[in-house]
Amino acid sequence: MKSSFFFLASIVLLLFSCDDQSNVATQTSSYSIEIVDSVRIDRIIGSHSIVAAHPENGNLLLLTKKGDNQMVLVMSQEGEIIKEFEHLSEGPLSAGIILISATFFEDGYALMGVGNIVTYDANFNVKKRIEVPLSLGGILATRSKFLRVIEKDNRPHFLIFYGPKTEKKSTEAEYYNEYNLLSLVDPENETIEPYGYFHDGSMFKSGKAFHFIRTLFEPIGGETKAIVVNDTTLYTFDASGNEIDRVTIPFDDYVLLKGFSLGELGLEEQMKMREVPGAPLGLLHTNGLDIISYRSGIPEQKAIDLFGPNRENYYKEVYERVNPRKVIILKDGRLVSDVLPIPQKLTDLEIVDPFGNIWASQNVNILDEEPEVVTIYKLRIVEN
């Protein structure tokens, strides 16, 4: 099954304005994304996420629910469920009451729960438990990609988003000087180190408060691409978390988050309708290309007109209509695609496999009832 869902970018001169003029694209060709195939499976009911692709065979790791328990599914590229693991909230095989994320690791798997990372063999027998204390300000999200694998010192390490290593609060300026974007876990020595920091001049060091910070990240061998949600900076870090590159993402019509006052006053400001900030939704990398999905945001006055000064008229349907999901493609920090819409029938672009395929799940939330089978889409980047 093959169909094109993104508008094919024509061979044109692309001129996009942004703060960093070095990122303005001047191209004679550009890229688009096509659906090239799809698979249908009946083992998944309702919401699910594709959280990892095997680095060699391309099998996909999915997280979903079965009753009150989380399910970990291994799916082939043809849609065959080749392994199932029912993750209980407690017991000798459990990673904890909340299953945050999962990935392929060595000859088996790794699951991250609250307070630990557990590694398993190919049959989901526990191999090792690594204690990972939750940091102040950490965000818990089930079925996330908060657990990834990065190469360092010629062996695999875990790269996780689990909250900063600081005792400061987000209402204090020093919090943002100490804030580490990610954490690096050495599974052999069971150590945890901060990984990546905000650069000098970052909006997060502007003397304002920013709450619920979250980092999107994509390890690539011994390096990592990272974006902090609501920001416009694409970082590249080495295996130890040192910044080796930084570019401004040329989003279109992007509404920056102004931040809140430090201290208690900022907590009161959060109750009022302000700008709806732009937000990166996903970050993928394949064949030298960065694929970034996002929403542009809504300016303050328009947001107040739509939703009321105290959000009393907020409707999700209106929000999604006036602030749609989009995706752009960068190469060496330069824009090489049109701004491409993401169809409503898809969730976000979720994972890239070792063959350069992008995988996305069917958005079942827009359906009137849960389907008996769920479609998972395979996509490719196409150079026009």
Side-chain angles (χ1 to χ4, degrees):
M1 172 180 171
K2 179 177 179 179
S3 62
S4 175
F5 72 85
F6 291 123
F7 293 122
L8 293 179
S10 58
I11 301 177
V12 294
L13 175 69
L14 298 177
L15 294 176
F16 288 84
S17 63
C18 61
D19 292 338
D20 184 351
Q21 292 300 311
S22 66
N23 291 340
V24 175
T26 304
Q27 301 288 332
T28 56
S29 66
S30 54
Y31 294 81
S32 60
I33 306 177
E34 292 183 352
I35 295 176
V36 296
D37 203 355
S38 64
V39 296
R40 309 185 95 188
I41 51 178
D42 59 5
R43 299 289 188 93
I44 299 176
I45 301 298
S47 181
H48 64 278
S49 297
I50 307 171
V51 295
H54 194 280
E56 296 177 359
N57 59 35
N59 287 341
L60 303 178
L61 199 63
L62 291 79
L63 298 182
T64 184
K65 288 195 70 175
K66 180 180 179 181
D68 294 331
N69 296 323
Q70 295 281 345
M71 291 292 297
V72 182
L73 305 179
V74 182
M75 187 188 82
S76 73
Q77 298 234 336
E78 293 70 41
E80 178 188 0
I81 302 298
I82 55 182
K83 193 170 292 292
E84 299 183 28
F85 174 61
E86 185 172 1
H87 177 266
L88 304 180
S89 60
E90 57 184 8
L93 299 181
S94 177
I97 189 170
I98 299 176
L99 180 57
I100 298 172
S101 189
T103 191
F104 293 99
F105 182 68
E106 295 181 334
D107 61 348
Y109 314 92
L111 305 184
M112 183 168 76
V114 178
N116 64 178
I117 297 172
V118 183
T119 62
Y120 300 80
D121 65 16
N123 295 311
F124 282 100
N125 298 306
V126 171
K127 295 175 64 177
K128 192 173 191 177
R129 291 183 181 274
I130 304 166
E131 184 178 349
V132 184
L134 182 64
S135 302
L136 181 67
I139 296 176
L140 298 180
T142 60
R143 301 196 296 272
S144 71
K145 294 194 295 182
F146 288 177
L147 173 67
R148 310 297 295 276
V149 176
I150 184 173
E151 291 294 322
K152 184 185 180 188
D153 301 330
N154 297 315
R155 56 189 178 84
H157 287 58
F158 294 120
L159 196 58
I160 65 174
F161 175 75
Y162 206 56
K165 190 176 182 180
T166 175
E167 297 300 320
K168 300 295 191 297
K169 298 179 181 179
S170 62
T171 53
E172 304 174 71
E174 192 60 25
Y175 177 82
Y176 304 95
N177 294 323
E178 298 181 0
Y179 190 101
N180 52 289
L181 275 59
L182 301 164
S183 297
L184 183 69
V185 180
D186 184 336
E188 183 176 300
N189 298 316
E190 300 187 29
T191 58
I192 307 170
E193 299 293 337
Y195 184 98
Y197 290 91
F198 294 124
H199 66 281
D200 291 337
S202 166
M203 75 174 197
F204 293 98
K205 292 185 176 183
S206 61
K208 293 287 187 177
F210 299 87
H211 309 293
F212 309 112
I213 297 173
R214 182 165 60 93
T215 303
L216 308 175
F217 59 106
E218 181 84 343
I220 311 158
E223 297 181 358
T224 301
K225 300 273 187 171
I227 307 172
V228 179
V229 171
N230 299 136
D231 200 2
T232 59
T233 301
L234 174 62
Y235 292 99
T236 304
F237 299 108
D238 66 16
S240 298
N242 301 305
E243 182 187 314
I244 57 178
D245 192 28
R246 173 180 9 113
V247 300
T248 300
I249 305 168
F251 292 124
D252 72 311
D253 302 323
Y254 196 81
V255 179
L256 274 176
L257 178 62
K258 298 176 184 177
F260 301 91
S261 299
L262 296 171
E264 294 184 4
L265 178 60
L267 299 177
E268 298 176 9
E269 292 171 353
Q270 293 182 66
M271 305 305 295
K272 299 294 184 180
M273 188 71 237
R274 294 159 46 104
E275 75 279 359
V276 177
L281 303 173
L283 169 63
L284 300 174
H285 183 91
T286 181
N287 298 323
L289 301 173
D290 299 308
I291 304 100
I292 303 169
S293 54
Y294 67 103
R295 296 184 191 270
S296 290
I298 307 172
E300 181 174 344
Q301 189 55 56
K302 184 176 181 180
I304 292 174
D305 292 343
L306 285 170
F307 306 126
N310 297 301
R311 299 187 178 90
E312 61 269 23
N313 298 324
Y314 178 84
Y315 293 98
K316 184 178 179 181
E317 295 80 4
V318 176
Y319 166 81
E320 294 187 345
R321 175 172 53 81
V322 301
N323 191 25
R325 298 176 302 155
K326 313 170 186 178
V327 64
I328 55 176
I329 303 171
L330 307 185
K331 184 175 184 179
D332 299 325
R334 293 178 176 272
L335 189 65
V336 292
S337 76
D338 285 342
V339 177
L340 308 169
I342 299 178
Q344 193 179 22
K345 71 176 182 179
L346 298 183
T347 61
D348 193 24
L349 308 182
E350 295 179 89
I351 207 75
V352 171
D353 68 23
F355 314 116
N357 301 309
I358 300 171
W359 293 85
S361 298
Q362 179 184 8
N363 182 7
V364 299
N365 294 324
I366 65 172
L367 304 178
D368 293 332
E369 56 185 35
E370 292 184 345
E372 295 183 1
V373 296
V374 172
T375 303
I376 295 179
Y377 298 93
K378 181 166 71 172
L379 310 94
R380 296 284 297 186
I381 294 179
V382 179
E383 186 173 6
N384 303 314

